[in-house]
Amino acid sequence: MPALAGSVVGAVVVALDGTVLSVVQPTLRRDLDASFAQVQWTSTGYLIAVAGLLVFSGRLGDRYGHQQLFGIGMLGFGAASAGIGLAPGIGWVIALRVVQGVFGALLQPTTLGMLRDAFPPERLRMPIAVRTGAIGLAAAAGPVLGGSLVAGPGWRAAFFLNVVPTLTLGALALTSRGGARRPHRADPGTPSPRRPHRADLGTPSPRPVTALDLPGALLLALTLASLVQALVGLPERGWTPASGAGLALAVTAGTWFVRHERRAASPLVPPDLVGSTGVGRAVGVLVLASAALQGTLFTTTFLLQNTLGVAPLRMALLGLPLAGLMILAAPCCAVLLRRFGARRTTVAAMAVLAGGIAVLDRATATLAFCTGFGLLGAGFGTVMVAATHVVVRQAAVESAGVAGGLKQTAMNVGPVLGVAVATTLMGSHAGGARLPLIVLAAVAVVGAVVAGSLPERSALMINPAQPGDRTGVPARR
């Protein structure tokens, strides 16, 4: 339970921070006399730092222990938040948001790595569902909380909000000790325990000592940072020479990264993880699902406010079914996974997501919009739990951090890609928002096709079974 509590709080802190920021940015701009471009960099700088470092941070957690990285990430995230709340100018805010992104990258993979350490494979469904439901609740509460803080004590209070919980949990994670250490597989002659996953939050897990792939980490960071930087500017500036150069750099660095990983003695992404069709395809599903969702939300905002003249408050009310059903979908998905398995559950959820986009494409009345948003929430919430369950369960314990980093990278890159697609299509088509929604529905359908190749519920784990070790044995259902 301590590991679950830490995982939930860590994920909620990051989710709440992002949603609150989107609400306080206009007030922050006026108070600090900042330009729109500078305010945009309070989000862009954070996103680039996070996207570029997630996988490497996951590898650090696998080597040094997820508890240690969790503690450092929480302490750094909270300290940066306090600094932003005290910042005298927009330059300080941007710089500290980048710092916050670095510590956020340390924090996020550990929230899944700790679950992989603490729970046996057959019991991962509900912890992941609880974590996902909490993220949905934070995303729903963020705008309301941010608006209340801006109207009351001001925008700075939004950054002080998470200081106490992050510093408290971070300090506890770094100072607590307890429980027996889990022997790792690199110790010759050491029998594996029957239940190697039962480590609590305060128990550091010994890790195999392997070299860190720093060149691979730099190449991957350059690839993802260039990709994100090129895509985030599209909604405001459209396609520019800088965007093209960023994409070219991302492709070049990505190609070098793949070649390097094939030759490296200790690659950043372990071969067993790369060779797992379950992990790769689940990450792909998450990219497609998050791209479809965020691209649709961006497009429908344009459709409702600019085309149909819907006021922002009414638009927020129309979107409430999305948050509500996303929260409800998380625990329901745990039941569906147990009964139908990951493949059928994820395929059906992607179909529901595509159906929600199709409904929004034709919607003109309040009920139709509410129905469409509700389908989006139900489909995406289910996909989040099901695909995350596949990633975490299929990964070996020694690669859980990297798997978590890949999953979080998908959840950062997918939305940027979806908004970029929506922006490009809206700018190139006289029909405005309709063509993007059709294309985004097709993206969700492609996600359903990819989900059709996910492993069934009886799929074997990556890590091979050893005498006395049941982590490689599929759960009986």
Side-chain angles (χ1 to χ4, degrees):
M1 290 306 291
L4 177 58
S7 177
V8 168
V9 174
V12 165
V13 162
V14 174
L16 197 60
D17 178 83
T19 54
V20 168
L21 177 68
S22 64
V23 177
V24 305
Q25 279 180 329
T27 306
L28 181 152
R29 184 183 71 84
R30 291 192 299 269
D31 189 36
L32 299 181
D33 193 26
S35 66
F36 284 103
Q38 287 174 320
V39 171
Q40 179 64 28
W41 268 100
T42 64
S43 297
T44 302
Y46 175 90
L47 185 58
I48 289 175
V50 167
L53 295 174
L54 280 169
V55 176
F56 181 61
S57 298
R59 170 53 75 205
L60 290 176
D62 290 332
R63 179 172 180 178
Y64 297 109
H66 300 298
Q67 172 200 343
Q68 284 81 357
L69 266 291
F70 176 82
I72 294 170
M74 289 290 271
L75 288 176
F77 197 92
S81 296
I84 295 170
L86 299 171
I90 189 63
W92 280 99
V93 173
I94 294 172
L96 287 169
R97 281 288 289 170
V98 173
V99 173
Q100 195 179 41
V102 172
F103 286 103
L106 293 178
L107 167 64
Q108 291 185 51
T110 66
T111 63
L112 289 172
M114 289 190 300
L115 293 183
R116 182 67 178 87
D117 272 348
F119 293 91
E122 67 272 15
R123 292 183 56 195
L124 277 170
R125 303 182 203 89
M126 192 52 70
I128 291 174
V130 171
R131 178 183 179 275
T132 302
I135 292 173
L137 183 60
V144 177
L145 184 58
S148 301
L149 292 173
V150 169
W155 66 268
R156 295 179 186 274
F159 292 98
F160 291 128
L161 184 67
N162 61 33
V163 171
V164 172
T166 53
L167 296 185
T168 301
L169 273 182
L172 286 174
L174 290 179
T175 59
S176 62
R177 294 289 186 269
R181 287 176 174 266
R182 171 165 55 87
H184 59 76
R185 298 169 193 253
D187 294 335
T190 302
S192 298
R194 184 175 181 85
R195 291 276 188 178
H197 298 277
R198 290 206 176 276
D200 61 31
L201 180 59
T203 305
S205 302
R207 306 285 167 171
V209 178
T210 57
L212 289 175
D213 181 16
L214 294 180
L218 290 173
L219 285 171
L220 182 59
L222 180 61
T223 300
L224 294 172
S226 301
L227 177 64
V228 170
Q229 193 278 332
L231 295 178
V232 293
L234 291 181
E236 183 179 352
R237 298 183 297 272
W239 287 99
T240 63
S243 300
L247 289 178
L249 180 58
V251 171
T252 302
T255 302
W256 286 348
F257 171 73
V258 172
R259 293 181 61 185
H260 169 81
E261 289 294 285
R262 289 176 175 174
R263 301 173 181 176
S266 301
L268 178 66
V269 182
D272 59 357
L273 204 59
V274 174
S276 167
T277 56
V279 173
R281 289 167 186 174
V283 169
V285 168
L286 288 169
V287 170
L288 294 169
S290 58
L293 176 72
Q294 293 299 327
T296 298
L297 294 179
F298 179 87
T299 304
T300 51
T301 298
F302 174 87
L303 173 65
L304 287 167
Q305 291 193 11
N306 293 15
T307 304
L308 301 179
V310 176
L313 177 58
R314 187 183 171 211
M315 187 185 72
L317 294 175
L318 289 175
L320 285 178
L322 188 153
L325 286 178
M326 180 177 171
I327 295 170
L328 291 174
C332 293
C333 182
V335 177
L336 294 174
L337 284 171
R338 185 181 302 111
R339 183 167 183 178
F340 300 108
R343 180 186 301 172
R344 285 183 286 178
T345 299
T346 310
V347 169
M350 289 299 298
V352 170
L353 180 62
I357 301 173
V359 170
L360 290 173
D361 177 48
R362 296 294 177 182
T364 56
T366 298
L367 180 60
F369 278 110
C370 289
T371 301
F373 283 124
L375 291 173
L376 287 186
F380 185 74
T382 304
V383 170
M384 275 276 288
V385 176
T388 301
H389 178 260
V390 171
V391 172
V392 177
R393 175 170 177 156
Q394 289 282 304
V397 175
E398 293 80 5
S399 303
V402 174
L406 289 172
K407 182 265 176 182
Q408 295 297 141
T409 300
M411 298 305 298
N412 280 274
V413 173
V416 178
L417 183 61
V419 172
V421 169
T423 303
T424 302
L425 294 174
M426 282 194 293
S428 63
H429 183 65
R434 297 301 183 184
L435 178 61
L437 291 176
I438 295 172
V439 172
L440 291 166
V443 169
V445 171
V446 172
V449 174
V450 175
S453 60
L454 290 176
E456 282 288 7
R457 52 187 171 187
S458 60
L460 291 173
M461 307 296 296
I462 290 175
N463 47 314
Q466 298 185 8
D469 183 359
R470 297 184 61 83
T471 60
V473 180
R476 291 186 180 181
R477 299 167 196 264

